[in-house]
Amino acid sequence: QVQLIESGGGLVQAGGSLRLSCAASGRTFRSYGMGWFRQAPGSEREFVSTIAWTTGTTYYADSVEGRFTISKDNAKNTVYLQMNSLKPEDTAVYYCAADRYGLGLTEGDYDYWGQGTQVTVSE
């Protein structure tokens, strides 16, 4: 059984920062990449960022490029999303996900999902 556990969400004022963590576990857990997605109320889930475990290659959505940074700790099987200069439009439930075969940019590329963590950015 693969588990992805997100943490680090919360309420922050616009311009502030938060760091999300995603810890992966499971006896047979192996993936090529880990991604972050988010879903705002009334909206579809959207891609935020992804990183490869081995090469460290990263991709970002245009909306977060330059403000968010994805990183990893292979020894801890943990991926992070450092979010700076937060805006009210960043308010959403943030999900981490594991892609067994690549660095997907869409939901369908990912095989395992966490339960999500709420991020709320006030004016």
Side-chain angles (χ1 to χ4, degrees):
Q1 183 79 10
V2 173
Q3 283 191 309
L4 303 178
I5 307 295
E6 302 102 332
S7 61
L11 173 64
V12 65
Q13 287 188 324
S17 299
L18 282 174
R19 189 177 82 152
L20 306 183
S21 300
C22 174
S25 64
R27 289 186 301 169
T28 59
F29 177 74
R30 291 290 185 273
S31 77
Y32 184 87
M34 295 290 291
W36 286 97
F37 286 74
R38 66 186 183 186
Q39 187 168 22
S43 299
E44 295 186 351
R45 195 177 301 186
E46 64 175 4
F47 168 78
V48 175
S49 183
T50 187
I51 187 167
W53 282 115
T54 53
T55 66
T57 300
T58 60
Y59 294 107
Y60 294 93
D62 290 343
S63 58
V64 305
E65 180 84 52
R67 299 188 298 123
F68 290 10
T69 303
I70 191 170
S71 62
K72 61 185 177 65
D73 184 332
N74 291 56
K76 296 181 179 180
N77 266 2
T78 299
V79 174
Y80 305 96
L81 186 68
Q82 178 67 44
M83 306 186 294
N84 298 330
S85 302
L86 283 162
K87 305 174 182 179
E89 50 263 44
D90 294 318
T91 295
V93 177
Y94 284 71
Y95 299 88
C96 75
D99 183 341
R100 286 186 292 175
Y101 305 115
L103 284 184
L105 303 182
T106 64
E107 278 190 80
D109 296 319
Y110 288 79
D111 306 287
Y112 305 108
W113 291 84
Q115 81 289 349
T117 185
Q118 176 70 46
V119 171
T120 303
V121 184
S122 62
E123 298 278 358

